[in-house]
Amino acid sequence: VTTSGIILIVQFYHNGMHKPGDVILGGLFEVHYTSVFPELTFTSEPNQLNCQGFDPPGFRHAMTMAFAIDEINKNSNLLPNVTLGYSLYDNCATLVIGLSAALSLASGQEEQFLPQENCLGTPPVLGIVGDSFSTFSIATSDVIGLFKLPIVSYFATCSCLSDRRRFPSFFRTIPSDAFQVRAMIQILKRFGWTWAGLLVSDDDYGRYVARSFQSDLVQSGGGCLAYLEILPWGDNPAELKRIVEVMKKSTARVVIVFAHQIHMIQLMEEVVRQNVTGLQWMASEAWTAAAVLQTPHLMPYLGGTLGIAIRRGEIPGLREFLVTLHSDQLLNTFQVRQFWEYTFHCRFAPPPLGWVEAGEELCTGQEDLENVETEFLDVSNLRPEYNIYKAVYALAYAIDDMLRCVPGRGPFSGHSCATLQRLEPWQLMFYLEKVNFTTPFGDQVSFDENGDALPIYDIMNWLWLPDGRTKVQSVGIVKKSATKGEELTLDENKIFWNFDSKQSPQSVCSESCPPGTRMARKKGQPVCCFDCVPCSDGKFSNATDSMECSSCPEDFWSNAQRDHCVPKITEFLSYQEPLGICLTTASLLGTFICAVVLGIFIYHRSTPMVRANNSELSFLLLVSLKLCFLCSLLFIGRPRLWTCQLRHAAFGISFVLCVSCILVKTMVVLAVFKASQPGGGASLKWFGVLQQRGTVLVLTSIQAAICTAWLVSSSPAPHKNTQYHNDKIVYECVVGSTVGFAVLLGYIGLLAILSFLLAFLARNLPDNFNEAKLITFSMLIFCAVWVAFVPAYVNSPGKYADAVEVFAILASSFGLLVALFGPKCYIILLRPEMNTKKAIMGRGTTKT
């Protein structure tokens, strides 16, 4: 619209190649990489675009489509009796030109298209192969999608194009950036690179990559981004300097770049200027094969680069087809003439629009391509060409399937089929979605519900040879199949690492946490930045980079390294440990002494000393003391059910038997003294032998009844106690009923106190009744030991409680043994002259 309000309708004349056919397929390619717009005129003539910078690979892309169509036309099994034609346009790497060319393909170049065989102008196409740029494809698909015209791109990777609601007719034979991002993440995880920088271009390609890369990286748990920077378009040295400084300061050794070749050229100029080395570069498919970056000047920085590359394929016969461009028919096309002039540095007469420098030789058209070095004929590394080849064949197979439809069994309304005479583009899209074929190279081609082909990429490595040459070699593939999902295959032995170690670099924010520790995230930093905190006692981690430490099972405890659990140390009063050995020795020694004393008393049973001290009760007392010593052994060793039940019962009954004998002896002493007084003879009849035996039996039976009731109601049982020590299992006998245990001890204490009181009352009797003093002293020891036992037992954990009880048993038993039988054995063995009736009675008479 001009300032005067006049609307200008501009019609461009596009650079194109055309071949007639029954069905026409369109193509959009970057044959030139820049353009100059002419001044707009008010004439009715089309405005001729001046596209500059001839791109031989781009022209080879266009000719690959021409070859594929020519090959299909020669194939009698595919589209028989149907001839494919093409209309190939140059987008000049300019959005408006590409969009204009696409609209021309969709609507026809003439203002009105008449469906007769002899119509003028290029007929509308049924499908378009292109465009090469994601941004161009987005704009084109937004418009062409309204016509339901299928577009099959060979180079547009933006994941946004998988949006079927916005781009219903868009297909592609190159994997989406979403898959490329996941492939990059798989490589990161393969080498343990959890800390990386990401650089993206400032366009749809870069922005969508940045968005999906961050989300997919978080979901996969593969690492974190140290920084995310956007590479500017055009000349912006200040911004590039800032970005390189960020890279230089970062601890990330891996740099991932999703950008175009021009961005990398500008970026590497700044990288060289600041001499930033020691980085591992990862390239997207947009610049993996960029020969302009593989120079001796840049390889010290870019050597060892790992990149995602479009799948390389082989197209038999393509080179032979490219060599045939010298034919007159092809040389009549504008693009071929430009290629010829560019390759042979000549010009056709008249000069084409003045873009060729004057003074060059005239082209004859008979020049031989075989005699000139041109990358146009290099078919050793066919990557975009292979995708173009697959795209053309996908359209051809869709048309073939459509034309093989049987009337009455078709997929459209009324089971109708599409025909060439009334063919609509949306009908072809239906069949394109169901295409499934295998290329001569062995790759399967089909489209999913989003129009994406089964993705497959080559993994490339930039090798810097010792002679200074560079080589881009394939070291693996990453692909997705319907059965196995996404697979990464790498030959790590072939990878060239541009580091002194010749090994894969490390790129982590924090070193991995070894087993025995857990990760503790640093506040305010990404999850990949963390501290390693040792697991607490009783917990372990047996894997690297554990988020949490796991608790050991109940009977296990963490080892010193906290990397696994070991069985807890079991603790009980053992026969093998020094304490157990000492107590066992003391117990057996006491038993032996009792046996010796018993033997002495039996041997000297007829002597006055033995007879005067109630020999039957003395023998019974010695037997009970022997049982007291022996019952202490039940407290030593691993607690079992029978030892737990027997130990306290044996202890209680043995001591009651012992104290009962002492109590009866004391009562007999008092009865004898009382009988010696005038009128006291009748008291002895109550303390005869039968009464003595009966009293001991009754008193012992009461304790036996207490023990029986305790065992029946709440029996002691072995117990694994983990309360005292976290890393130990203390085996102990729980008493079961505290009341039962208290009654047992209380009954023993009651008898002991009663014996002590009676003996204390009889301490001043005449010397011939001197045993009362010994009983008093022995019971004093006994009571003192057991009074001290209670607080010591309560405050002693685990095996030490058993040791305290054993010690109390042994101490009280030794006290009774020594106090009661020590003086008597002394007289019997060492002072036999005092072991006479006269001596015993004499002492008493003298005192009296």
Side-chain angles (χ1 to χ4, degrees):
V1 180
T2 65
T3 54
S4 59
I6 302 174
I7 300 177
L8 297 178
I9 301 177
V10 181
Q11 182 182 5
F12 292 116
Y13 176 81
H14 299 98
N15 295 332
M17 296 174 56
H18 308 284
K19 179 180 180 180
D22 300 324
V23 176
I24 304 298
L25 300 181
L28 297 172
F29 302 96
E30 180 193 337
V31 180
H32 297 82
Y33 50 80
T34 186
S35 61
V36 176
F37 287 88
E39 277 190 41
L40 301 181
T41 65
F42 293 94
T43 65
S44 59
E45 294 296 322
N47 291 276
Q48 174 67 48
L49 286 169
N50 189 7
C51 294
Q52 298 180 354
F54 190 83
D55 185 19
F59 183 58
R60 185 173 65 229
H61 297 167
M63 295 313 299
T64 300
M65 180 172 177
F67 165 76
I69 290 177
D70 183 67
E71 186 179 67
I72 292 169
N73 287 334
K74 294 176 181 178
N75 188 347
S76 59
N77 297 320
L78 184 61
L79 290 175
N81 304 319
V82 175
T83 301
L84 287 182
Y86 56 75
S87 289
L88 312 181
Y89 285 125
D90 179 11
N91 63 22
C92 298
T94 305
L95 175 59
V96 65
I97 298 175
L99 181 59
S100 174
L103 289 173
S104 295
L105 289 171
S107 61
Q109 289 184 314
E110 300 297 324
E111 295 181 2
Q112 181 180 9
F113 172 71
L114 301 175
Q116 277 92 20
E117 186 175 345
N118 58 351
C119 63
L120 299 175
T122 304
V125 298
L126 287 182
I128 297 176
V129 176
D131 203 321
S132 56
F133 296 101
S134 292
T135 300
F136 291 13
S137 295
I138 291 171
T140 302
S141 297
D142 272 333
V143 177
I144 303 302
L146 300 175
F147 302 96
K148 303 294 184 181
L149 179 65
I151 302 176
V152 186
S153 176
Y154 58 92
F155 215 66
T157 60
C158 181
S159 57
C160 59
L161 287 165
S162 297
D163 185 353
R164 218 57 184 151
R165 289 179 298 179
R166 182 179 174 186
F167 309 109
S169 64
F170 180 82
F171 300 82
R172 54 183 158 193
T173 53
I174 187 173
S176 160
D177 280 335
F179 179 75
Q180 185 176 188
V181 165
R182 292 195 298 272
M184 286 282 195
I185 293 173
Q186 285 192 61
I187 297 174
L188 292 177
K189 295 176 72 173
R190 179 68 169 265
F191 294 107
W193 298 332
T194 59
W195 191 236
L198 178 63
L199 306 179
V200 299
S201 57
D202 188 13
D203 54 13
D204 293 316
Y205 172 66
R207 284 190 292 270
Y208 277 96
V209 163
R211 188 182 309 164
S212 62
F213 200 100
Q214 292 184 88
S215 61
D216 288 356
L217 194 62
V218 171
Q219 292 177 8
S220 68
C224 309
L225 290 180
Y227 53 85
L228 170 60
E229 297 293 340
I230 299 177
L231 298 174
W233 283 96
D235 187 22
N236 193 341
E239 179 64 9
L240 289 173
K241 181 179 179 182
R242 185 194 67 80
I243 292 173
V244 174
E245 287 176 350
V246 170
M247 297 165 54
K248 193 173 182 179
K249 293 177 182 178
S250 174
T251 57
R253 297 294 87 199
V254 175
V255 182
I256 305 165
V257 184
F258 279 84
H260 304 286
Q261 180 175 308
I262 184 62
H263 293 104
M264 281 302 300
I265 293 173
Q266 296 171 343
L267 176 67
M268 291 311 298
E269 290 176 357
E270 185 62 31
V271 168
V272 173
R273 187 178 296 109
Q274 296 192 30
N275 193 28
V276 182
T277 59
L279 297 178
Q280 175 63 48
W281 295 84
M282 295 185 68
S284 68
E285 97 295 335
W287 63 279
T288 293
V292 70
L293 297 172
Q294 300 164 19
T295 63
H297 178 59
L298 296 179
M299 284 305 286
Y301 305 90
L302 292 176
T305 295
L306 286 174
I308 301 290
I310 302 170
R311 173 70 165 166
R312 187 191 72 83
E314 294 182 3
I315 307 177
L318 176 61
R319 191 178 189 282
E320 290 74 11
F321 177 82
L322 297 179
V323 174
T324 62
L325 285 180
H326 66 273
S327 65
D328 294 337
Q329 181 181 4
L330 287 173
L331 282 175
N332 288 332
T333 61
F334 182 72
Q335 289 182 352
V336 176
R337 291 167 66 92
Q338 284 185 325
F339 162 72
W340 209 264
E341 293 175 338
Y342 173 85
T343 303
F344 293 103
H345 305 288
C346 61
R347 62 183 178 85
F348 287 97
L353 303 177
W355 73 276
V356 178
E357 294 182 3
E360 293 184 344
E361 296 180 0
L362 290 176
C363 299
T364 65
Q366 300 302 316
E367 291 83 0
D368 191 356
L369 285 173
E370 295 281 9
N371 296 330
V372 66
E373 184 176 347
T374 172
E375 61 179 317
F376 174 73
L377 296 179
D378 182 9
V379 295
S380 62
N381 195 30
L382 300 178
R383 297 185 185 275
E385 294 85 354
Y386 188 47
N387 284 342
I388 294 169
Y389 185 78
K390 291 189 290 186
V392 174
Y393 265 86
L395 287 168
Y397 273 104
I399 297 171
D400 185 67
D401 291 342
M402 180 177 64
L403 297 181
R404 292 180 186 273
C405 175
V406 178
R409 297 181 182 179
F412 307 116
S413 61
H415 300 288
S416 61
C417 296
T419 62
L420 282 178
Q421 290 73 23
R422 296 183 178 181
L423 189 60
E424 296 290 340
W426 63 267
Q427 293 175 316
L428 178 62
M429 195 175 75
F430 172 84
Y431 286 95
L432 189 59
E433 291 173 345
K434 302 181 183 303
V435 158
N436 193 337
F437 66 95
T438 302
T439 68
F441 195 58
D443 291 330
Q444 184 182 0
V445 179
S446 63
F447 299 104
D448 62 14
E449 64 276 5
N450 297 320
D452 296 325
L454 287 175
I456 182 169
Y457 275 120
D458 288 334
I459 310 297
M460 309 304 293
N461 179 227
W462 289 21
L463 180 63
W464 191 15
L465 300 174
D467 59 3
R469 292 184 298 110
T470 61
K471 177 184 178 183
V472 179
Q473 62 178 355
S474 175
V475 293
I477 62 171
V478 57
K479 63 181 180 179
K480 181 179 181 181
S481 62
T483 56
K484 297 182 179 180
E486 295 179 6
E487 294 180 277
L488 171 65
T489 304
L490 272 179
D491 186 355
E492 297 184 27
N493 294 325
K494 291 177 61 178
I495 298 178
F496 169 74
W497 302 108
N498 193 27
F499 302 95
D500 294 337
S501 64
K502 303 303 178 183
Q503 299 290 326
S504 168
Q506 277 196 334
S507 186
V508 294
C509 181
S510 300
E511 292 292 335
S512 294
C513 290
T517 62
R518 64 176 178 85
M519 295 190 298
R521 182 177 173 182
K522 293 182 179 179
K523 188 175 181 180
Q525 297 192 31
V527 294
C528 298
C529 302
F530 49 82
D531 294 317
C532 297
V533 180
C535 294
S536 57
D537 291 342
K539 294 188 175 183
F540 76 101
S541 64
N542 56 5
T544 303
D545 291 337
S546 296
M547 296 298 296
E548 296 292 339
C549 296
S550 304
S551 297
C552 290
E554 182 180 1
D555 292 345
F556 290 80
W557 194 251
S558 55
N559 64 341
Q561 291 75 30
R562 305 290 194 272
D563 57 3
H564 69 278
C565 293
V566 295
K568 287 183 178 180
I569 300 172
T570 56
E571 182 180 272
F572 54 87
L573 189 57
S574 171
Y575 288 107
Q576 284 77 35
E577 62 179 301
L579 181 58
I581 293 172
C582 291
L583 295 176
T584 301
T585 302
S587 175
L588 296 177
L589 179 62
T591 305
F592 175 74
I593 294 174
C594 285
V596 171
V597 173
L598 181 59
I600 292 173
F601 268 57
I602 293 175
Y603 184 77
H604 297 278
R605 63 184 176 278
S606 59
T607 60
M609 179 59 69
V610 176
R611 296 180 65 186
N613 286 279
N614 200 332
S615 59
E616 185 175 338
L617 286 178
S618 296
F619 293 155
L620 189 58
L621 180 58
L622 285 169
V623 171
S624 65
L625 283 174
K626 185 185 293 187
L627 293 175
C628 289
F629 280 115
L630 290 175
C631 77
S632 64
L633 297 176
L634 294 172
F635 291 84
I636 305 173
R638 189 187 187 102
R640 304 184 187 279
L641 180 60
W642 69 271
T643 58
C644 290
Q645 292 175 336
L646 189 58
R647 62 167 58 171
H648 290 106
F651 154 70
I653 293 173
S654 298
F655 267 89
V656 165
L657 178 60
C658 177
V659 176
S660 297
C661 292
I662 295 173
L663 178 60
V664 171
K665 283 173 72 74
T666 307
M667 294 172 66
V668 170
V669 169
L670 290 173
V672 170
F673 174 73
K674 189 174 182 181
S676 66
Q677 301 296 322
S683 61
L684 274 177
K685 67 179 182 179
W686 298 105
F687 290 94
V689 176
L690 291 177
Q691 285 81 0
Q692 294 175 27
R693 295 174 182 171
T695 303
V696 172
L697 180 61
V698 170
L699 294 176
T700 305
S701 298
I702 294 173
Q703 182 71 308
I706 293 172
C707 291
T708 302
W710 179 18
L711 294 177
V712 171
S713 62
S714 183
S715 172
H719 172 64
K720 293 188 294 185
N721 194 325
T722 57
Q723 302 300 317
Y724 299 132
H725 307 283
N726 290 328
D727 58 343
K728 293 180 181 179
I729 298 176
V730 178
Y731 282 94
E732 61 183 8
C733 288
V734 291
V735 295
S737 172
T738 306
V739 174
F741 187 48
V743 171
L744 181 143
L745 291 178
Y747 183 63
I748 297 173
L750 176 64
L751 296 180
I753 292 172
L754 186 58
S755 299
F756 173 74
L757 292 176
L758 292 176
F760 183 78
L761 294 175
R763 71 188 185 286
N764 292 323
L765 296 179
D767 283 356
N768 53 341
F769 301 106
N770 196 352
E771 193 174 19
K773 292 183 179 180
L774 300 178
I775 293 173
T776 303
F777 183 66
S778 66
M779 296 314 299
L780 183 62
I781 295 174
F782 184 89
C783 292
V785 168
W786 285 103
V787 167
F789 159 78
V790 174
Y793 180 83
V794 170
N795 292 291
S796 298
K799 67 178 182 179
Y800 297 104
D802 292 335
V804 166
E805 191 166 356
V806 172
F807 181 80
I809 292 172
L810 296 177
S812 57
S813 298
F814 273 113
L816 294 175
L817 179 62
V818 173
L820 292 176
F821 295 97
K824 298 172 185 177
C825 289
Y826 172 76
I827 293 174
I828 292 173
L829 298 177
L830 301 179
R831 301 293 299 272
E833 70 276 7
M834 296 179 62
N835 189 9
T836 62
K837 184 176 182 181
K838 181 179 178 181
I840 295 174
M841 297 303 294
R843 291 171 61 211
T845 303
T846 304
K847 276 281 178 92
T848 302

